[in-house]
Amino acid sequence: MVKKFNPKLKKRLSQVLHSIAEKLEIDSNSNDENSSVSIESPSTSQPSKRQRRRRNSLSLPEGITHLSGQVKQFSERTLRDRSPRFWLLLGASVSLGGGALVLGMGVLQLESGLPDSVEDVLTYAPPGTITIKASDGAVLREIGNVTHEKLKIWQISEPVKKAFIASEDRRFQKHRGVDFPGIARAIFANLQAGGVVEGGSTITQQLARIVFLNQGRNIGRKYREMRLAKEIEDNFTKDQILERYLNLVYLGSGAYGVADAAWVYFSKPVSDLTLVEAATLAGIVPAPSVYSPLENPQAAKERRDIVLKTMQAQGVITAQEAEEAIASPLEVKPSKLKRLERQAPYFTDYIEKELTKHISKEAIAAGGLTVETTLNSRWQQAAEAKLESAVERYGKWQRFSQAAMVAIDPRNGQIRAMVGGTDFRNNQFNRVTQAKRQPGSTFKTFVYATAIAAGISPNKSFMDAEYVVDGYKPENYGDSYSGAQVPLRTALAKSLNVIAVRLLVDVGWNPIVKLAQQMGIESKLQPTYSLALGASEVNLLELTSAYGTLANKGIHQKAYGISRIRDRKGNILYQAQFQPQEALDPNTSSIMTWMLQGVVDGGTGVPAQIGRPVAGKTGTSDKARDLWFVGYIPQLVTGVWLGNDNNKETWGASSMAAVLWRQFMLEAVEDIPIETFPNLPNQIEGRKATIKAEPIKPKRSYYNFSTVRATSDGSPIVGATNESIQPRRRRRIRRSRQTVTYNQPESSSRRVRSSSSLRRRRTTVERVERSAPAPAAVPAPAPKFAPPAPPASRKEE
């Protein structure tokens, strides 16, 4: 329409400019005539040089002078006659020309502010609105003034449609966007009533105002509204216009659209609304804050009755129906807005924070976004229920107040469930993504994986005895040591701390840190001996994602929750496309899974058994401040954390986390067929290393056998030599590399001076780790272990 209008406007502006030019020309000639009369005699026919210079200085461009030639002749005659007609015509032309110019410029400005198309009517969403959906399309959260329930025209009952048309636009089916008789009628009715009882804007105009304009009241906005209404009528059917209007109109109390309003005021769907209730909703439109039945019942009833009378006057309802409806009281049954309800609150908060990583702030501000996520609604509900039950049932006596869980599909990295806590209303801190805690023995998996990748056999044995390296002394659970040679697989199943640290010394910090990062750990890891026991803090999401690398045969898939983002028109703004990264060779991955199966089959993770192959690892930080279990099947990896936000000690054990893991997984696996883990490689011994070990060279390290347990009859535990238990004289052992001497304090108060008594009191074993031959390993099947009862105080597991 703008293109059609502009040529006419340009022509009119050209005419006005010519008129102004002619006026200026007339003024110039008039000045010259007056000068000539006053200076020259009547007989003088030629102007002086001074007059010619002045006339030339006042002359207009040649084009304008030529176009105004006729007017010049007329003006010259008029000036000679000194007729008043000239001044009258001149004043009128200047006034009309100036007015037309101003009007033309104003119209041009108004037209330039109109959109190129009205197609947005069908896709409009208010600015800043976002809808977050689960993978099955279920709405998790709606942000902004969004319509929760959008209806098709055939889903809206006849009483509702008739009430709104009667109240807002009785000639809706007849006009083409603007109802001029309706405007005149509204003005007369409002003047008669002494207030606003009838609006002049049609439903189409109101829709144009909702979609394209603001709520300001001025002539310019009214002009745009009418122009847009005409365009909307030219492009859409009456049913389309009415459907969009009834889905977008604001009806007070935060409700947008008739479906949301029906729920907020009457707790029922639109299809169940009565005539009285439909009239109540239609009556809210002129002033939602005034006519809301929740905020001003009396005004709402009065307005409702006006709508009913209007419906009767138009023949929409009978007099009897109107009378009965008006006589009925205003009854409401309020309910909370559905768009304010939230599902998976910790997860949706996480999604909101992730948005700016994928789309611009301008796109977010524009609104109308639909965020499609990876969440499995059923699994999410199961996870929330299990965690809340665990905290309520076990948290009091085990003294943990919070729990967190995350489940990830290891094959693609999709987050399928996330529970960041059990009290979102009071504390929005997400313990899956924001809390960094010491992972305890769950970190041992990365130490063992590095060792296996470096070519070390899972059957290689290490001494289970008190071990000191550069002043650092790791302790097994209960400060208990067997003194036996223990294979790595058994050591992992029993979660023996000293062997984990000893393995770290053989492999090195750098390879372990690098592999952990490649598998999914993003937090900074400190190169210390305690790294093997989980001293460096991580969050549950990255730890679980890293375990997923093992479930996915050594291929790491970055964990993510947003699969796709669409704008209000359905255009894809973002699509998740994370490339898989090989972090670990398949053979090492299968060996590690086999070893972690041993944890669940007969180690500390027995409570996590679910009747199908499971691999996983328990973990407990110092003094049981953090209780962990991370486990997986081929299709799903899940991590659980229990503890306190203030880092206070608990009285629980990691077995509680394993129990909670089992409870959730039993529900999740109902949708998942049973799959077995990959077979072990044909060659376990003498495999080629895929990671180069960087052994640490400690300044001082040794085993101390004085704390080794003995059996009830006093004999040493199987695997321990007599030499490692029996006291003997301190002697210096000459070795090629290093000599370490350690003096054990006397354990008896008796003072015996004989050499034999001195030998009995000395319990030091002098040993050089790198060169001394190790006792022969005594292989033994992994026993079935039940998790110990929660102690009052415990060491690192």
Side-chain angles (χ1 to χ4, degrees), residues 311-608:
M311 294 177 72
Q312 177 195 348
Q314 296 178 27
V316 176
I317 59 176
T318 65
Q320 182 178 355
E321 288 175 327
E323 184 179 350
E324 291 176 355
I326 291 173
S328 65
L330 180 68
E331 296 179 349
V332 294
K333 185 181 178 182
S335 290
K336 182 181 179 181
L337 273 170
K338 289 185 178 180
R339 68 179 174 88
L340 299 181
E341 296 175 359
R342 297 187 63 174
Q343 306 297 325
Y346 289 103
F347 177 74
T348 53
D349 263 13
Y350 162 74
I351 292 299
E352 286 183 64
K353 294 173 183 177
E354 291 289 301
L355 281 178
T356 54
K357 297 180 181 179
H358 306 304
I359 59 174
S360 66
K361 293 182 179 178
E362 291 75 15
I364 296 174
L369 298 180
T370 298
V371 183
E372 300 171 6
T373 73
T374 61
L375 200 76
N376 183 303
S377 298
R378 193 179 73 80
W379 294 358
Q380 177 69 23
Q381 292 172 4
E384 291 175 353
K386 300 306 178 186
L387 262 64
E388 290 176 6
S389 175
V391 171
E392 182 179 354
R393 184 175 180 182
Y394 303 108
K396 293 180 180 179
W397 67 271
Q398 293 192 24
R399 295 196 177 181
F400 60 82
S401 59
Q402 281 296 339
M405 177 186 291
V406 64
I408 303 171
D409 187 334
R411 301 164 297 184
N412 50 37
Q414 294 181 354
I415 298 173
R416 308 295 278 160
M418 177 189 287
V419 185
T422 57
D423 189 17
F424 182 82
R425 177 173 296 182
N426 296 319
N427 190 341
Q428 293 78 47
F429 184 67
N430 192 332
R431 295 154 192 87
V432 172
T433 61
Q434 295 177 285
K436 288 196 173 185
R437 310 295 291 252
Q438 291 184 342
S441 292
T442 58
F443 194 84
K444 291 175 183 175
T445 296
F446 306 106
V447 178
Y448 279 77
T450 306
I452 299 299
I456 298 176
S457 169
N459 296 322
K460 182 177 180 180
S461 297
F462 287 81
M463 180 63 67
D464 177 25
E466 188 177 280
Y467 177 64
V468 182
V469 54
D470 286 340
Y472 175 68
K473 187 180 75 170
E475 296 178 0
N476 287 345
Y477 170 69
D479 205 11
S480 176
Y481 312 90
S482 67
Q485 290 283 336
V486 181
L488 287 183
R489 184 171 188 256
T490 304
L492 183 61
K494 294 181 178 180
S495 199
L496 300 178
N497 289 343
V498 292
I499 293 180
V501 175
R502 183 66 177 79
L503 200 57
L504 177 143
V505 173
D506 284 359
V507 175
W509 293 303
N510 293 336
I512 294 172
V513 170
K514 183 178 180 180
L515 177 61
Q517 292 172 340
Q518 290 175 336
M519 291 176 67
I521 298 297
E522 298 178 359
S523 299
K524 186 175 181 180
L525 302 176
Q526 299 294 337
T528 63
Y529 291 114
S530 59
L531 174 67
L533 307 182
S536 292
E537 296 178 339
V538 299
N539 67 44
L540 181 58
L541 179 62
E542 60 185 321
L543 182 63
T544 306
S545 175
Y547 269 69
T549 302
L550 295 174
N552 197 32
K553 305 174 186 178
I555 304 298
H556 175 61
Q557 287 279 4
K558 182 177 176 60
Y560 67 94
I562 299 175
S563 58
R564 185 163 54 187
I565 303 174
R566 293 179 180 271
D567 65 13
R568 56 190 175 87
K569 296 182 179 180
N571 300 318
I572 297 176
L573 304 181
Y574 167 78
Q575 178 93 40
Q577 292 180 337
F578 294 104
Q579 296 300 317
Q581 302 291 332
E582 184 177 27
L584 204 59
D585 66 277
N587 288 341
T588 298
S589 178
S590 63
I591 292 173
M592 278 305 305
T593 294
W594 171 67
M595 295 174 70
L596 290 171
Q597 279 184 272
V599 176
V600 177
D601 292 342
T604 59
V606 166

Side-chain angles (χ1 to χ4, degrees), residues 145-448:
N145 298 327
V146 63
T147 302
H148 174 79
E149 186 178 359
K150 300 179 180 67
L151 302 175
K152 296 296 183 183
I153 190 65
W154 52 267
Q155 295 176 302
I156 303 173
S157 63
E158 285 300 315
V160 173
K161 290 186 283 189
K162 290 177 179 179
F164 275 85
I165 290 174
S167 175
E168 294 301 310
D169 190 0
R170 68 180 65 177
R171 297 185 67 252
F172 174 69
Q173 298 294 345
K174 298 178 181 179
H175 64 69
R176 298 302 300 167
V178 181
D179 183 17
F180 292 105
I183 294 174
R185 183 180 62 252
I187 293 173
F188 179 76
N190 292 336
L191 289 174
Q192 229 181 10
V196 179
V197 296
E198 189 172 337
S201 294
T202 64
I203 283 176
T204 314
Q205 286 177 258
Q206 292 182 52
L207 180 60
R209 183 164 65 241
I210 292 170
V211 175
F212 299 107
L213 305 172
N214 56 37
Q215 297 300 317
R217 294 180 178 273
N218 54 66
I219 295 176
R221 195 219 69 186
K222 198 68 177 179
Y223 171 82
R224 292 191 181 97
E225 180 184 296
M226 295 168 70
R227 287 278 291 107
L228 288 168
K230 178 65 169 58
E231 291 292 323
I232 291 171
E233 290 278 352
D234 290 344
N235 284 273
F236 304 105
T237 66
K238 290 290 185 179
D239 278 352
Q240 286 178 307
I241 294 170
L242 185 60
E243 176 186 303
R244 288 300 289 161
Y245 172 75
L246 293 177
N247 278 317
L248 293 175
V249 64
Y250 181 60
L251 295 172
S253 300
Y256 288 83
V258 292
D260 289 6
W263 179 257
V264 168
Y265 297 123
F266 307 113
S267 300
K268 61 173 63 175
V270 170
S271 58
D272 293 344
L273 291 178
T274 65
L275 172 62
V276 173
E277 292 165 343
T280 302
L281 294 186
I284 296 173
V285 176
S289 60
V290 175
Y291 298 127
S292 168
L294 298 182
E295 299 174 13
N296 197 341
Q298 183 60 36
K301 184 180 185 306
E302 293 173 359
R303 179 63 188 167
R304 179 203 72 179
D305 295 345
I306 292 174
V307 174
L308 291 168
K309 291 176 182 178
T310 304
M311 294 177 72
Q312 177 195 348
Q314 296 178 27
V316 176
I317 59 176
T318 65
Q320 182 178 355
E321 288 175 327
E323 184 179 350
E324 291 176 355
I326 291 173
S328 65
L330 180 68
E331 296 179 349
V332 294
K333 185 181 178 182
S335 290
K336 182 181 179 181
L337 273 170
K338 289 185 178 180
R339 68 179 174 88
L340 299 181
E341 296 175 359
R342 297 187 63 174
Q343 306 297 325
Y346 289 103
F347 177 74
T348 53
D349 263 13
Y350 162 74
I351 292 299
E352 286 183 64
K353 294 173 183 177
E354 291 289 301
L355 281 178
T356 54
K357 297 180 181 179
H358 306 304
I359 59 174
S360 66
K361 293 182 179 178
E362 291 75 15
I364 296 174
L369 298 180
T370 298
V371 183
E372 300 171 6
T373 73
T374 61
L375 200 76
N376 183 303
S377 298
R378 193 179 73 80
W379 294 358
Q380 177 69 23
Q381 292 172 4
E384 291 175 353
K386 300 306 178 186
L387 262 64
E388 290 176 6
S389 175
V391 171
E392 182 179 354
R393 184 175 180 182
Y394 303 108
K396 293 180 180 179
W397 67 271
Q398 293 192 24
R399 295 196 177 181
F400 60 82
S401 59
Q402 281 296 339
M405 177 186 291
V406 64
I408 303 171
D409 187 334
R411 301 164 297 184
N412 50 37
Q414 294 181 354
I415 298 173
R416 308 295 278 160
M418 177 189 287
V419 185
T422 57
D423 189 17
F424 182 82
R425 177 173 296 182
N426 296 319
N427 190 341
Q428 293 78 47
F429 184 67
N430 192 332
R431 295 154 192 87
V432 172
T433 61
Q434 295 177 285
K436 288 196 173 185
R437 310 295 291 252
Q438 291 184 342
S441 292
T442 58
F443 194 84
K444 291 175 183 175
T445 296
F446 306 106
V447 178
Y448 279 77

Side-chain angles (χ1 to χ4, degrees), residues 2 5-6 9 13 102-113:
V2 175
F5 184 83
N6 281 342
L9 177 61
L13 290 176
V102 172
L103 176 62
M105 294 297 292
V107 171
L108 180 61
Q109 184 178 6
L110 291 174
E111 288 283 336
S112 64

